[in-house]
Amino acid sequence: MNYNADSLPPIKLIPLNAETASLSGRTASTRPPTDIRWVKVLEFLRSNNLAPNSRKLYERELKRFLAWSELHYHELRPRHLALYKEYLRDEIRTDVGKPLSKSSINAGIAALKSFFKWMSYTYPEIIATNPTLGIKLEKVPLPPAQSLTPEQMEQVWSALELLGETKQRDTALVHILSHGLRAGEVVQLNVGSFDGKLLFLPDTKTNEPRLVPLRKESREVLAEYLLTRSHQREVLNSDFPLMISHHAS
């Protein structure tokens, strides 16, 4: 069969530029590929029973770390985390231009410690050794007691032994207060604020989140109090109050 030039359909040029090319009426996407590292962060956030404020802080701090480093997780070493801690201390500024407080630096490092502990446990084939091991938190001195003398505190501890139903809760409460927390901060604490070692305070009078390391005895007392509540068939969701009232409503 013979064809002449007039019978051939017109030639249509299809641009190969991704910004202008279209296929079946659909414009090619220019969205950057998803950072596979962030996928693991989202999995971590979903797998942990974090309180909303804690989740927000963890997400913010992990996002900041991934923006600072382009290394994949298996490439990270303790020296990289030490450099990142220096970056938080020396280069990051608050909204009013001030350096981060030690408590804010600790919040960032604690988020990384929690995430990489989870990563090394969940994906040992990716991270054989937790790179945050050996990275220490900044030392934040406890605020001095402003109202009770050591002798008065001894009287408080002695009085706790005379309590009945509320003894365990009140003992845990006094342990928390002995670390310099204000009453208004304590009532905002929920179960997700305690990770077994630290108390996370999202809202403080300085408008900065704060991490409060608990003494060993205080950690054990608080953990035992929560365990007792669990044995009483209370479901301890992360957003439930850390301290519950024993007064009848």
Side-chain angles (χ1 to χ4, degrees), residues 21-133:
S22 62
L23 183 61
S24 301
R26 298 176 62 182
T27 303
S29 173
T30 59
R31 181 182 301 174
T34 301
D35 188 339
I36 189 64
R37 301 177 304 166
W38 184 246
V39 174
K40 297 302 183 188
V41 170
L42 294 178
E43 183 181 349
F44 162 74
L45 295 174
R46 287 194 298 266
S47 65
N48 285 272
N49 193 26
L50 296 171
N53 284 332
S54 299
R55 179 188 173 97
K56 184 177 179 180
L57 181 139
Y58 275 48
E59 185 173 342
R60 183 193 70 198
E61 294 300 332
L62 291 169
K63 186 177 294 184
R64 174 152 54 190
F65 176 75
L66 294 185
W68 175 82
S69 172
E70 295 183 353
L71 295 176
H72 292 285
Y73 293 140
H74 70 277
E75 299 175 306
L76 290 169
R77 299 293 182 268
R79 67 177 182 275
H80 300 127
L81 277 298
L83 289 172
Y84 180 69
K85 183 180 176 182
E86 292 181 4
Y87 165 75
L88 293 179
R89 184 189 64 207
D90 300 335
E91 298 187 36
I92 294 298
R93 294 293 182 267
T94 65
D95 293 339
V96 295
K98 294 183 178 181
L100 293 182
S101 66
K102 290 184 177 182
S103 295
S104 294
I105 293 173
N106 285 347
I109 298 302
L112 292 176
K113 281 180 172 289
S114 181
F115 171 69
F116 283 111
K117 179 180 179 181
W118 173 85
M119 274 290 297
S120 61
Y121 177 80
T122 309
Y123 293 102
E125 70 278 10
I126 298 178
I127 296 183
T129 303
N130 184 346
T132 63
L133 294 178

Side-chain angles (χ1 to χ4, degrees), residues 187-214:
V187 298
Q188 294 181 17
L189 293 174
N190 49 40
V191 173
S193 302
F194 177 56
D195 70 353
K197 292 184 178 181
L198 306 169
L199 282 177
F200 169 67
L201 284 72
D203 300 310
T204 64
K205 64 180 181 180
T206 61
N207 295 321
E208 290 188 353
R210 183 156 67 101
L211 284 172
V212 180
L214 298 182

Side-chain angles (χ1 to χ4, degrees), residues 5 8-14:
L8 295 176
I11 297 175
K12 182 178 181 180
L13 298 178
I14 300 177

Side-chain angles (χ1 to χ4, degrees), residues 138-212:
E138 295 287 291
K139 291 185 178 180
V140 180
L142 294 176
Q146 299 180 1
S147 55
L148 297 181
T149 65
E151 292 76 15
Q152 291 172 324
M153 279 302 301
E154 283 298 325
Q155 294 176 7
V156 171
W157 295 120
S158 298
L160 289 171
E161 297 299 322
L162 305 177
L163 296 178
E165 179 187 5
T166 64
K167 175 182 176 180
Q168 190 175 36
R169 183 208 60 185
D170 292 346
T171 301
L173 177 59
V174 172
H175 271 277
I176 292 175
L177 290 171
S178 71
H179 286 75
L181 276 71
R182 295 177 294 117
E185 294 173 331
V186 174
V187 298
Q188 294 181 17
L189 293 174
N190 49 40
V191 173
S193 302
F194 177 56
D195 70 353
K197 292 184 178 181
L198 306 169
L199 282 177
F200 169 67
L201 284 72
D203 300 310
T204 64
K205 64 180 181 180
T206 61
N207 295 321
E208 290 188 353
R210 183 156 67 101
L211 284 172
V212 180

